[in-house]
Amino acid sequence: MNLSSLDWAAVTRLREIFLEGGPQRRAYWTSPADLQAYDLTLGERIGWKWDAVLGELAAAGWKPPAGPLVDFGCGSGVAGRRVLAAFGAGHFTCLRLHDRSGIAESFALGRARELFPELPGSVLSAAELEGDGPLGTLVISHVLSEMAERDRAKLVRLARRAAAVLWVEPGTHADSRALIDVREALRGEYDLIAPCTHCQACGLLAPERSADWCHFFGRPPWEIFTDPAWGEFADRLGVDLRSLPFSFLVLQRRGEGMPPAVQPGLTRTLGRARIYKGYAKIFACDADGVGEVTLQKRDAPEHYKAMKDGDASPLQRWRRDGDRMRPAEPPP
């Protein structure tokens, strides 16, 4: 991070807006300097969340259908750029950007042209946004908390025009629950790629699960913990650099190329496992529902250690034995 030209006042103001939440009546970008400061700091942290999602999709062998890439509510454009880097700019025919701030659209378009000069890029017009034509792959990042209910409904209608949807939100209870509503609205028309392990109704909609939510944690690059610039960022803004909670949803329209990457029989760990001596408590989601289960260390010593070290994959193939989880036979 280059601190020489960083506008700390802008970063602080933007963070306060994001923490306050609630529908935003006007754009909060006042200048390109706002976007530059955001892109280097708060935007980069969002980029690490996208890295976690995109890394999982790559490991599963999934790619969105070829065609346009649309970055809705693009801000500085960090989400769209991460997707382009992950799948390759050549996989897409063009980059289309939308933000209610023209300053943000110009900044995001300029940064994309710097990094991907061969990829055509342009701003999505209001007429295209309100139309009914196909969109390609739709990228959405950290927008739900800023939207009124009617605007969320418009965004779901927009998503229905996409061949695939990649959507990342903060890992709060409210944002996760809002993303579950999106899942339920679209699952009849789309294959659920991730994080879901099944295509049934979300298990968190059960009345007894109203206090729970679907969230995960990204891992920032280790080198930031020895970087004085990131240390100053953490001190000035009171940010815990280790904590990167997020929720996400990846959808693909049925009949659009590759089938879902997530296979039946998988169990996903929500949040973090709680580690105790000799066993772990896991909040598990699979086709049988959502609930806390116990994994004994002796049943899966390598996975127990990986969970303890924070290196375990959230997706595993287990078999339930009451409230106890055991490795599947044969092992994954």
Side-chain angles (χ1 to χ4, degrees), residues 5-219:
S5 59
L6 189 65
D7 187 341
W8 285 110
V11 177
T12 302
R13 177 180 61 82
L14 290 168
R15 176 163 167 77
E16 289 174 351
I17 290 172
F18 300 148
L19 288 177
E20 181 182 348
Q24 299 294 321
R25 292 183 174 83
R26 57 188 177 85
Y28 34 73
W29 311 111
T30 62
S31 69
D34 280 1
L35 288 140
Q36 177 70 14
Y38 168 86
D39 203 50
L40 288 170
T41 54
L42 300 169
E44 185 63 11
R45 282 172 54 79
I46 287 176
W48 298 335
K49 299 179 185 183
W50 276 94
D51 290 342
V53 171
L54 295 167
E56 178 175 320
L57 295 176
W62 181 84
K63 280 189 173 185
L69 179 68
V70 177
D71 188 349
F72 176 88
C74 61
S76 70
V78 63
R81 296 197 306 270
R82 281 313 213 268
V83 173
L84 289 172
F87 297 114
H91 184 70
F92 301 98
T93 56
C94 62
L95 174 66
R96 310 298 310 281
L97 299 166
H98 167 74
D99 197 282
R100 59 182 172 176
S101 165
I103 298 173
E105 290 173 334
S106 296
F107 181 93
L109 190 57
R111 289 288 287 126
R113 285 173 174 166
E114 289 174 16
L115 296 173
F116 310 101
E118 302 302 318
L119 183 69
S122 60
V123 171
L124 198 68
S125 70
E128 291 174 298
L129 200 64
E130 297 295 331
D132 56 6
L135 286 178
T137 295
L138 180 63
V139 170
I140 305 171
S141 184
H142 291 64
V143 299
L144 284 175
S145 66
E146 301 174 8
M147 287 183 154
E149 195 61 38
R150 64 180 181 277
D151 295 320
R152 292 184 182 184
K154 288 182 180 179
L155 185 51
V156 171
R157 289 198 295 272
L158 184 72
R160 283 198 164 97
R161 297 164 53 194
V165 180
L166 288 82
W167 197 327
V168 174
E169 291 289 344
T172 66
H173 182 276
D175 289 307
S176 167
R177 286 280 162 174
L179 207 51
I180 290 172
D181 290 342
V182 174
R183 175 196 189 273
E184 295 305 297
L186 297 177
R187 69 183 175 93
E189 306 161 51
Y190 286 81
D191 289 323
L192 302 174
I193 304 299
C196 308
T197 60
H198 61 85
C199 295
Q200 303 167 23
C202 179
L204 289 170
L205 294 176
E208 66 272 17
R209 294 297 172 200
S210 61
D212 301 315
W213 70 106
C214 179
H215 67 293
F216 311 94
F217 292 90
R219 298 188 71 176

Side-chain angles (χ1 to χ4, degrees), residues 134-323:
L135 286 178
T137 295
L138 180 63
V139 170
I140 305 171
S141 184
H142 291 64
V143 299
L144 284 175
S145 66
E146 301 174 8
M147 287 183 154
E149 195 61 38
R150 64 180 181 277
D151 295 320
R152 292 184 182 184
K154 288 182 180 179
L155 185 51
V156 171
R157 289 198 295 272
L158 184 72
R160 283 198 164 97
R161 297 164 53 194
V165 180
L166 288 82
W167 197 327
V168 174
E169 291 289 344
T172 66
H173 182 276
D175 289 307
S176 167
R177 286 280 162 174
L179 207 51
I180 290 172
D181 290 342
V182 174
R183 175 196 189 273
E184 295 305 297
L186 297 177
R187 69 183 175 93
E189 306 161 51
Y190 286 81
D191 289 323
L192 302 174
I193 304 299
C196 308
T197 60
H198 61 85
C199 295
Q200 303 167 23
C202 179
L204 289 170
L205 294 176
E208 66 272 17
R209 294 297 172 200
S210 61
D212 301 315
W213 70 106
C214 179
H215 67 293
F216 311 94
F217 292 90
R219 298 188 71 176
W222 64 268
E223 57 267 23
I224 70 166
F225 297 105
T226 58
D227 186 330
W230 280 107
E232 182 173 352
F233 167 81
D235 290 341
R236 280 178 177 264
L237 275 76
V239 172
D240 182 355
L241 294 177
R242 300 166 298 176
S243 181
L244 278 177
F246 66 92
S247 298
F248 75 108
L249 183 65
V250 180
L251 307 169
Q252 179 177 279
R253 182 171 294 281
R254 288 177 185 166
E256 290 283 352
M258 295 175 62
V262 174
Q263 299 298 317
L266 290 177
T267 297
R268 181 180 285 276
T269 299
L270 306 185
R272 288 193 178 108
R274 303 201 312 276
I275 307 299
Y276 302 95
K277 186 175 180 179
Y279 68 98
K281 290 287 188 180
I282 300 171
F283 197 58
C285 173
D286 58 25
D288 293 328
V290 181
E292 188 173 72
V293 295
T294 300
L295 177 71
Q296 296 289 341
K297 177 182 179 180
R298 63 177 176 269
D299 288 337
E302 292 184 2
H303 188 69
Y304 173 88
K305 183 179 185 304
M307 287 192 298
K308 189 175 182 180
D309 295 341
D311 295 328
S313 167
L315 280 172
Q316 295 292 323
R317 198 175 298 280
W318 304 113
R319 60 182 177 88
R320 287 181 185 252
D321 183 4
D323 64 352

